[in-house]
Amino acid sequence: MNNQLFSANKIAEAHERIRPFIHRTPILSSVSINEISGTELFFKCENFQKVGAFKMRGAMNAILQLSEAAQNRGVITHSSGNHAQAVAKAAKLIGIEAQIVMPSTAPKVKVAAVEEYGAVVSFCEPTLEARQRKVEELIEKGDYTFVHPYDNLEVILGQATCAKEFIEDQADLTTLICPVGGGGLLAGTALSCKYFGNEISVVAGEPVGADDAFQSFQQKKLIPQTNPTTIADGLLTSLGKLNFPIILDNVSEIIRVDDTDIIASMRLIWERMKIIIEPSCAVPLAAVLKHPEKFANKKVGIILSGGNVDLNHYFDQLKAKNKKIGS
Amino acid sequence: MNNQLFSANKIAEAHERIRPFIHRTPILSSVSINEISGTELFFKCENFQKVGAFKMRGAMNAILQLSEAAQNRGVITHSSGNHAQAVAKAAKLIGIEAQIVMPSTAPKVKVAAVEEYGAVVSFCEPTLEARQRKVEELIEKGDYTFVHPYDNLEVILGQATCAKEFIEDQADLTTLICPVGGGGLLAGTALSCKYFGNEISVVAGEPVGADDAFQSFQQKKLIPQTNPTTIADGLLTSLGKLNFPIILDNVSEIIRVDDTDIIASMRLIWERMKIIIEPSCAVPLAAVLKHPEKFANKKVGIILSGGNVDLNHYFDQLKAKNKKIGS
């Protein structure tokens, strides 16, 4: 890892920069989940963050770090997930244009969310190649700056502010665990634990059906993700080039969990904590519950990364029930 | 209202009494719901309370106020809702027996929750008469003390501690709004606003399909609820005798909302705040959104009364989706 790229100062500066635009999210705990897990867990609720995910931090920092000229030309990204919403919202907050390329198969609810933030949505075939081609086309026309979802220095510094807050607000953490997809959150978390923590052990949870980070970590070389299959739709991407060496140097362990574990942990958090998290966000708790012996008698911080789920089905069913009551 | 029954002191004493057994629940707010409603809203999250509802406060206080002899004989109630769980949990916390009479039609998930707290569940036909008969039968055998869900002095004092905390933690509230069913929470809220608030206006929301409180309030006489039909299954009961005069004297207005409004507000809170509330709990926000002119430019406190919903359907669907991904 290149020490010139990252420092405590740079993370602190990113934090000051984005502070007016983000929420300092609360830390919750649950007596009953503590009992079930046999350890003391602290949940940092980035599902309560703007746009419902930590992605707001990185997108905001990356956009604020652009030159005024680049900001005025606008930003672009391709994503069907939380990063799309984060770029759209961050651009809106400082009054600049955002172009979002989404696959034609993207759920309407996600397209609507991005459009609600005022971004211009373009559609393409649902392949990575088509996405990139479409982005290049649009950049040729509009000279937009591309904001990568994770393989970007300023994005990593932005995501690092989450663990920084966590450490500031809960000083006695012994362990910090977050999910890993592209590695923006995990690299940022590892950096903040290194610079601001008191020997905090950094652990990641990863779906077994998209375990490129685990494989790369084991073999100490970057292995791209191919054909991922998991309910954790935020964790399908390949680990970033910039992210990997930070993770290799500063993360203790990557724990894999299967989709059954993920859904069970998601349900536990919905039912016991009464908060909404998305499947990707349940991966760290699933990892803790799978290996309770690794976390016993610790103070474990879990980053709840996001809460964007499609609730159409639930509310359609509730409306149907209501019709039955009324009849 | 009988001034000897209620006083600031009695509420403060109830608060001290139950403090070790309850959570001081957080107050959340939502920029986007503020924008939609055109006012400043503060949500006190009793869905995060033990057993997932404010009912814990009243049940705990009522049980702690029993003589040691009565406690040792045990307590009893009939309920298929949050009060059943609250009595079961409160009894468990101080190590006494709880008997809960539930209708044979009660959802398995609710029976399981009560049994998880160690209470003894007896079933009866799903009528109020059958419930009461069963309770009397059991009392004859075991000399249990009946804990009424709302028409009970100590229960009202317990529920009052919620608004007391709210006022202490958010001193500038101009209005406080909660749902009304039997009137335990509303009466308690009205008392705390009277004793601890600075001219706070107390408003209630009620489903139009179970509007006995509205009718009673209008006609200034207690009119029992008959054949209620609403999705807000926590608000089906008739207003209590002890509760009614407190409400008549201290509440400004009762606003009725229909089930479509309730479901829309419930969804808004799930989607924007990422927290789980039950339909009954969405009634106050539905009232605010139905009459925004009444709340414009105020600081409105909303008590989110509970978060116990049946999530089986949602997670069955998620598991089915997962099977499809895996195949």
Side-chain angles (χ1 to χ4, degrees), chain B residues 242-295:
Chain B
L242 201 53
N243 315 70
F244 180 53
I246 305 171
I247 291 167
L248 204 55
D249 284 357
N250 299 287
V251 170
S252 306
E253 187 176 5
I254 296 175
I255 295 174
R256 292 178 301 172
V257 291
D258 66 27
D259 281 9
T260 308
D261 301 329
I262 294 170
I263 293 174
S265 287
M266 180 176 166
R267 182 166 188 161
L268 200 59
I269 289 175
W270 281 46
E271 287 192 337
R272 303 297 173 117
M273 298 180 66
K274 308 296 179 195
I275 61 176
I276 292 175
I277 61 162
E278 57 193 70
S280 307
C281 181
V283 168
L285 178 61
V288 169
L289 295 180
K290 196 170 180 185
H291 296 285
E293 75 287 356
K294 295 188 184 193
F295 301 93

Side-chain angles (χ1 to χ4, degrees), chain B residues 101-146:
Chain B
V101 173
M102 297 182 94
S104 54
T105 52
K108 272 187 189 170
V109 54
K110 299 213 166 183
V111 177
V114 166
E115 286 179 333
E116 203 188 311
Y117 295 127
V120 180
V121 176
S122 307
F123 294 98
C124 66
E125 293 298 301
T127 68
L128 187 58
E129 293 71 33
R131 284 189 189 196
Q132 286 169 338
R133 209 166 43 237
K134 188 77 188 174
V135 165
E136 281 161 24
E137 250 178 68
L138 289 165
I139 288 178
E140 237 166 74
K141 282 191 221 162
D143 202 8
Y144 305 111
T145 302
F146 182 65

Side-chain angles (χ1 to χ4, degrees), chain B residues 57-268:
Chain B
R57 297 173 183 268
M60 194 76 237
N61 190 51
I63 291 175
L64 287 172
Q65 282 290 74
L66 297 178
S67 69
E68 210 186 312
Q71 285 180 352
N72 288 338
R73 290 192 304 270
V75 291
I76 191 167
T77 199
H78 59 76
S79 163
S80 61
N82 293 334
H83 179 64
Q85 292 187 52
V87 168
K89 176 77 176 180
K92 190 186 180 183
L93 283 176
I94 62 163
I96 68 168
E97 186 181 343
Q99 292 275 348
I100 312 287
V101 173
M102 297 182 94
S104 54
T105 52
K108 272 187 189 170
V109 54
K110 299 213 166 183
V111 177
V114 166
E115 286 179 333
E116 203 188 311
Y117 295 127
V120 180
V121 176
S122 307
F123 294 98
C124 66
E125 293 298 301
T127 68
L128 187 58
E129 293 71 33
R131 284 189 189 196
Q132 286 169 338
R133 209 166 43 237
K134 188 77 188 174
V135 165
E136 281 161 24
E137 250 178 68
L138 289 165
I139 288 178
E140 237 166 74
K141 282 191 221 162
D143 202 8
Y144 305 111
T145 302
F146 182 65
V147 182
H148 195 282
Y150 49 86
D151 203 353
N152 174 312
L153 173 68
E154 300 299 339
V155 169
I156 295 172
L157 289 168
Q159 317 305 28
T161 62
C162 177
K164 177 173 177 281
E165 287 178 11
F166 210 165
I167 294 164
E168 286 168 0
D169 292 344
Q170 189 68 44
D172 56 355
L173 294 175
T174 59
T175 312
L176 221 157
I177 176 164
C178 72
V180 58
L185 181 62
L186 180 56
T189 299
L191 290 172
S192 275
C193 287
K194 174 181 170 172
Y195 294 126
F196 306 110
N198 183 15
E199 303 201 359
I200 295 174
S201 165
V202 180
V203 179
E206 189 175 39
V208 74
D211 70 345
D212 65 304
F214 175 84
Q215 298 297 345
S216 302
F217 194 72
Q218 292 296 308
Q219 300 181 37
K220 297 195 194 310
K221 65 173 186 183
L222 197 56
I223 298 166
Q225 183 62 55
T226 47
N227 301 321
T229 54
T230 171
I231 192 94
D233 56 358
L235 307 176
L236 301 173
T237 46
S238 293
L239 207 56
K241 287 192 186 71
L242 201 53
N243 315 70
F244 180 53
I246 305 171
I247 291 167
L248 204 55
D249 284 357
N250 299 287
V251 170
S252 306
E253 187 176 5
I254 296 175
I255 295 174
R256 292 178 301 172
V257 291
D258 66 27
D259 281 9
T260 308
D261 301 329
I262 294 170
I263 293 174
S265 287
M266 180 176 166
R267 182 166 188 161
L268 200 59

Side-chain angles (χ1 to χ4, degrees), chain A residues 259 267 274 308 312 322, chain B residues 259 267 274 276 308 312 322:
Chain A
D259 281 10
R267 182 166 190 161
K274 308 295 180 193
N308 292 325
N312 275 332
N322 184 36
Chain B
D259 281 9
R267 182 166 188 161
K274 308 296 179 195
I276 292 175
N308 292 324
N312 275 332
N322 183 37

Side-chain angles (χ1 to χ4, degrees), chain B residues 3-22:
Chain B
N3 277 310
Q4 297 172 296
L5 290 178
F6 302 100
S7 66
N9 242 349
K10 285 194 172 176
I11 297 172
E13 283 165 13
H15 204 192
E16 286 315 306
R17 191 177 299 124
I18 67 176
R19 204 185 287 275
F21 303 100
I22 61 161

Side-chain angles (χ1 to χ4, degrees), chain A residues 140-165:
Chain A
E140 238 166 73
K141 281 191 223 163
D143 203 10
Y144 305 111
T145 302
F146 182 64
V147 183
H148 195 281
Y150 50 85
D151 203 354
N152 174 313
L153 173 68
E154 299 300 339
V155 168
I156 295 171
L157 289 169
Q159 317 306 27
T161 63
C162 177
K164 177 173 177 281
E165 287 178 11

